[in-house]
Amino acid sequence: MPDTSSRSLRIFPSRRIRGTVTVPGDKSITHRALLLATLAEGESRLSGVLTGEDCLATIRACQALGAEIEFLNATTVRVKGRDRKLLAPAEPIDCGNSGTLMRLIAGILAGQPFSSCLIGDASLSRRPMARILVPLRQMGARIDAKGPGELPPLEIHGSQLHGIDYRLPLPSAQVKSCLLLAGLFASGVTRLQEPIPTRDHTERLLRHFGLWPIFDNGQLVVHGGVRLHGHDLFIPGDFSSAAFWIVAAAAFPGSELFVQGVGLNPSRTGLLKILLRMGATVKETIESCETEPYGTLEIRGERLRGTRIRGEEIAQVIDELPILAVAGALAQGETIIRDASELRVKESDRLAALAYNLRAFGVPVEELPDGLIIEGGHPLRAASVQSFGDHRIAMAFAILALAADGVSVIEDTACIATSYPGFEKDFESLTQSEIPGWGERAFRQIGHRWARWAKESLEDPAEARFPVVAIDGTAASGKTTVAQELARRLDFAYCSTGVLYRAMTWKLLQMGVDISNRFRVARAVGKIPMDCWIENHQLKIRVGDEDPSPYLRDPEVNANVSLVASIPAVRRYLLPLQRKLARQAPLVMEGRDIGTVVFPKTPYKFFLDADPLVRQERRRQQGETDLLLERDQKDRERKLAPLKPAHDAVILDTTRTTVNELVETILRHLKRKGMNLQ
Ligand SMILES: Nc1ncnc2c1ncn2[C@@H]1O[C@H](COP(=O)(O)OP(=O)(O)O)[C@@H](O)[C@H]1O
Ligand SMILES: Nc1ccn([C@H]2C[C@H](O)[C@@H](COP(=O)(O)OP(=O)(O)O)O2)c(=O)n1
């Protein structure tokens, strides 16, 4: 099983989704059904209930208002309603992370003959409440928002409400539902007009519980004082949870997925329209239209194209925008999301979180005040990213990580339980093969390439790294030639760390920094945006927007690199860059301090050297101007991470040994040291 105790998800690449999935019950419908069954007279048996954290908070809230709620099995509850006569809660009602609960229940509590208080967690305490407080106060509600700028907690002094005519300034199903519920306890008639239609679960469920809100001239009308009647209800799977699998299957060619028993309410399935526009193959079969339509989706993977998502469409896909941004990153071409500033006040600032995490995976993205411009189709590098405590961000990036070039980590994933308990299990069965156990599964997935090495990676949770063969040595001793051939034989990624020092030297020279002044260098280094990652078995480097590769063996670079490499600020900067590579792939890494400093714990260490005259001749034959003996001396003499064999390295003299013989010798040592070679 994936490691959830540490609240992070480690994800192995896998570009194919296959199988059948049934996602947990719909969050929006579960909240509303529980609240309405609490207001109704008689009993309601609700099946398919989502038991995520958010909905459990709603169950507790309903119980605090006097409803009797009993679990009949894991996802079925019996609610004995209060027939509108709620009890005054003894304590503040804790809405946890749920904006839906706080906004909907505020509508109910505003019109009660008692006072109450609504509190939430840190994220909910930052979410705007003015959008409900303004119209509720127009209805006569007396509510104090205790946080700065009308933020939670909400202190509600129940009062007699009266109906109003209200045009919602922004599309919000939560505001609409809050006012519909308040309207039930108001005198007279409440008329609402939406600027753009939003999800209509509250209207459908009011009908289910016996009240028919009327549509009159584009307005939604409810009369106060009406009774609701208990009624059994099946809650279908949450389309917003299914959206993660839908996008993954649609975007990975060769995938084939069936999503069963999923809610297909047209006010929720805007994502499908967008995916079709992007070139997806999706077949929708509606199996029931009672109250809430549901059925089966069949998705086949295709190469998707970028698209534009803006205007009215945004309200239809508001919860799906994180995974749509991921779809954009996986598609060819540009995807533009606009008019989505509402995302900034969700469980996290989703626009900022998306931009930050997409960039970490190597996706070029521009963050706009109301959206994102995503350049899709770039190779993705493995990354370690945060969920920002937001369940949809966590799940969206779990899907993106499947397309990366190595093992990725999503940190802080406990929040996934708010909407999708069991996500990790479904993730495992849909993306990480049939074999039981996370580690075993990981081997399969990396399968053809690096499967057998995944185990080592898994056994070192602190470092979460693949095996590293360290090849250190003097200049022109043959490190590059031997390491490349060894990497080819092992099917590992080849990685020269000298190029990082060379790239840094090139950039400093280009910036005109006085390299002999280590303080100036230290200051300049902090401003150089260098990154590196493994792509197609090779190390890739970027310095800002530039690829430094063509300049790395220029004579000025050769002449200055050892001096630059002796500056502690440079070594400190490059150390984590080198270490993170081992989270992406098994490596043959060559340099000067790989066995001593970068990966001192690797058991696979080799140090190459050869007669200085032979080395000089080799370099001359390569046509390079390189005072390599001077370089070696500087590298040996520097205080930090000097050139020297690790105490446990195998020392190999390459003066009169062929490359093939050297590689064979190294392979023999690796076997002896316990590496499982096949
Ligand atoms: N064992 C060897 N025997 C003969 N020539 C070699 C051997 N190893 C490397 N060379 C040659 O020496 C030169 C320098 O090798 P290289 O792998 O670039 O060294 P380093 O990476 O240690 O600077 C290359 O032209 C390479 O072909
Ligand atoms: N791990 C490393 C790798 C290189 N360096 C420094 C010291 C070396 O003289 C330069 C250039 O390294 P590189 O491996 O490209 O040099 P050679 O190809 O062996 O001549 O970088 C280092 O200090 N530590």
Side-chain angles (χ1 to χ4, degrees):
M1 288 295 291
D3 175 14
T4 46
S5 59
S6 61
R7 313 271 174 187
S8 65
L9 258 181
R10 189 119 46 90
I11 292 160
F12 291 83
S14 164
R15 285 172 167 266
R16 212 148 65 145
I17 307 290
R18 278 180 173 268
T20 300
V21 68
T22 308
V23 294
D26 189 286
K27 184 152 81 83
S28 292
I29 301 175
T30 301
H31 281 303
R32 288 159 170 83
L34 286 163
L35 291 170
L36 291 177
T38 295
L39 297 181
E41 57 80 25
E43 273 186 14
S44 305
R45 185 189 287 242
L46 311 177
S47 56
V49 163
L50 174 67
T51 53
E53 289 301 328
D54 278 15
C55 294
L56 292 177
T58 298
I59 289 179
R60 287 190 291 269
C62 292
Q63 287 170 327
L65 296 176
E68 282 176 37
I69 302 183
E70 181 191 357
F71 269 90
L72 302 179
N73 62 39
T75 56
T76 304
V77 295
R78 183 166 48 211
V79 183
K80 226 187 232 169
R82 298 289 309 174
D83 196 10
R84 296 174 57 98
K85 291 182 268 315
L86 304 177
L87 297 183
E91 290 172 1
I93 292 176
D94 188 351
C95 302
N97 189 248
S98 175
T100 305
L101 173 57
M102 186 172 280
R103 291 180 180 137
L104 267 58
I105 206 167
I108 295 173
L109 293 173
Q112 301 305 319
F114 53 76
S115 292
S116 52
C117 179
L118 299 177
I119 58 173
D121 69 7
S123 151
L124 180 53
S125 301
R126 286 193 297 269
R127 296 184 64 183
M129 291 296 146
R131 56 188 62 192
I132 58 163
L133 297 181
V134 169
L136 283 175
R137 285 175 186 146
Q138 284 179 27
M139 295 176 83
R142 291 188 302 128
I143 307 180
D144 295 326
K146 292 294 186 188
E150 301 276 48
L151 293 178
L154 302 182
E155 219 168 79
I156 303 174
H157 311 283
S159 54
Q160 178 56 54
L161 306 182
H162 51 82
I164 52 167
D165 273 22
Y166 189 69
R167 188 187 147 79
L168 276 70
L170 48 97
S172 166
Q174 291 176 356
V175 176
K176 171 177 69 176
S177 303
C178 165
L179 299 180
L180 284 172
L181 292 169
L184 296 179
F185 291 94
S187 60
V189 181
T190 299
R191 295 171 194 276
L192 304 176
Q193 199 177 350
E194 291 188 274
I196 297 168
T198 58
R199 60 185 63 179
D200 61 358
H201 301 305
T202 307
E203 297 90 305
R204 285 173 184 264
L205 290 184
L206 279 170
R207 237 171 280 153
H208 187 84
F209 288 98
L211 166 69
W212 288 75
I214 308 162
F215 279 100
D216 179 19
N217 212 5
Q219 285 187 319
L220 192 54
V221 182
V222 279
H223 291 263
V226 290
R227 264 180 110 182
L228 301 176
H229 304 285
H231 204 13
D232 295 349
L233 176 74
F234 166 68
I235 299 172
D238 196 322
F239 182 85
S240 299
S241 297
F244 299 101
W245 311 127
I246 297 170
V247 166
F252 293 134
S255 298
E256 189 181 36
L257 178 72
F258 292 86
V259 187
Q260 292 180 331
V262 63
L264 294 173
N265 177 327
S267 67
R268 291 287 296 282
T269 54
L271 169 89
L272 299 181
K273 258 185 265 156
I274 295 172
L275 285 178
L276 290 174
R277 207 157 73 214
M278 296 174 84
T281 304
V282 183
K283 193 169 141 210
E284 183 179 352
T285 310
I286 294 186
E287 285 146 17
S288 167
C289 273
E290 207 187 305
T291 304
E292 286 285 351
Y294 65 85
T296 299
L297 291 172
E298 182 182 343
I299 304 113
R300 280 171 206 284
E302 307 284 349
R303 187 154 284 289
L304 300 182
R305 308 180 284 277
T307 190
R308 278 158 196 262
I309 309 165
R310 62 191 312 170
E312 295 206 355
E313 204 166 41
I314 290 292
Q316 315 293 322
V317 292
I318 194 76
D319 285 341
E320 284 70 65
L321 285 171
I323 190 64
L324 272 168
V326 163
L330 295 172
Q332 290 299 320
E334 205 170 63
T335 290
I336 301 178
I337 299 173
R338 299 299 305 261
D339 306 314
S341 47
E342 183 64 13
L343 286 192
R344 295 209 180 273
V345 290
K346 288 284 179 183
E347 283 87 332
S348 67
D349 176 345
R350 284 188 176 156
L351 290 178
L354 284 166
Y356 193 85
N357 284 358
L358 284 170
R359 282 189 198 117
F361 278 93
V363 181
V365 54
E366 188 181 335
E367 186 182 340
L368 308 170
D370 68 340
L372 299 170
I373 301 177
I374 300 157
E375 222 182 275
H378 285 260
L380 299 179
R381 56 178 186 259
S384 176
V385 295
Q386 282 293 324
S387 69
F388 297 92
D390 185 330
H391 52 131
R392 299 205 197 281
I393 295 291
M395 290 185 275
F397 282 94
I399 298 299
L400 188 69
L402 291 169
D405 64 356
V407 182
S408 295
V409 179
I410 317 291
E411 305 278 5
D412 189 15
T413 50
C415 53
I416 289 176
T418 57
S419 66
Y420 197 155
F423 174 80
E424 290 89 347
K425 205 162 128 274
D426 288 343
F427 190 86
E428 182 178 334
S429 71
L430 289 174
T431 74
Q432 316 260 306
S433 119
E434 311 74 24
I435 303 175
W438 182 244
E440 290 297 316
R441 184 195 59 247
F443 304 165
R444 262 298 162 84
Q445 281 315 302
I446 296 194
H448 10 283
R449 287 217 338 227
W450 293 327
R452 59 188 190 276
W453 308 116
K455 188 158 191 299
E456 212 159 318
S457 149
L458 289 158
E459 279 171 356
D460 191 357
E463 287 196 36
R465 66 170 184 80
F466 284 101
V468 176
V469 180
I471 310 271
D472 290 304
T474 49
S477 59
K479 300 184 299 301
T480 307
T481 320
V482 168
Q484 281 180 338
E485 177 56 15
L486 183 66
R488 197 186 65 73
R489 298 277 293 270
L490 290 172
D491 197 21
F492 281 21
Y494 160 72
C495 189
S496 154
T497 55
V499 297
L500 297 175
Y501 290 91
R502 289 175 180 274
M504 184 62 86
T505 307
W506 164 76
K507 188 66 194 174
L508 289 165
L509 291 170
Q510 197 200 43
M511 289 163 72
V513 177
D514 174 4
I515 281 170
S516 62
N517 184 331
R518 55 185 53 213
F519 298 106
R520 294 240 165 95
V521 171
R523 214 170 311 135
V525 162
K527 294 189 200 127
I528 295 178
M530 189 187 288
D531 196 11
C532 63
W533 65 96
I534 301 291
E535 193 177 305
N536 296 332
H537 280 55
Q538 302 287 336
L539 176 67
K540 298 278 171 196
I541 314 179
R542 286 206 89 75
V543 183
D545 289 338
E546 293 171 288
D547 177 3
S549 321
Y551 318 106
L552 299 182
R553 302 208 74 99
D554 285 354
E556 313 83 77
V557 174
N558 278 345
N560 289 293
V561 62
S562 285
L563 183 56
V564 170
S566 71
I567 299 174
V570 171
R571 303 202 77 82
R572 264 201 309 275
Y573 182 103
L574 294 181
L575 188 59
L577 286 186
Q578 295 167 78
R579 285 187 175 154
K580 86 168 183 183
L581 297 171
R583 285 172 170 248
Q584 299 176 10
L587 303 175
V588 177
M589 183 177 263
E590 56 120 332
R592 300 292 188 285
D593 61 341
I594 310 307
T596 50
V597 174
V598 185
F599 291 108
K601 284 200 224 148
T602 182
Y604 316 123
K605 297 180 188 173
F606 301 87
F607 189 92
L608 310 194
D609 201 359
D611 184 297
L613 294 178
V614 171
R615 291 193 286 118
Q616 264 177 330
E617 178 54 21
R618 285 178 183 170
R619 198 54 107 226
R620 204 185 53 75
Q621 296 249 341
Q622 284 178 302
E624 262 184 49
T625 314
D626 187 3
L627 297 172
L628 56 89
L629 299 186
E630 274 179 34
R631 227 160 22 95
D632 279 348
Q633 195 173 342
K634 282 196 193 121
D635 291 343
R636 279 199 188 94
E637 286 172 356
R638 68 172 175 241
K639 287 213 178 71
L640 197 59
L643 167 65
K644 67 166 186 205
H647 68 90
D648 51 346
V650 176
I651 297 176
L652 298 169
D653 185 339
T654 73
T655 312
R656 274 175 290 274
T657 325
T658 67
V659 174
N660 243 340
E661 286 166 342
L662 288 162
V663 171
E664 288 298 336
T665 307
I666 293 177
L667 287 171
R668 267 200 309 281
H669 277 284
L670 291 177
K671 210 166 191 175
R672 221 175 292 147
K673 284 173 183 286
M675 190 182 266
N676 174 14
L677 302 173
Q678 285 179 0

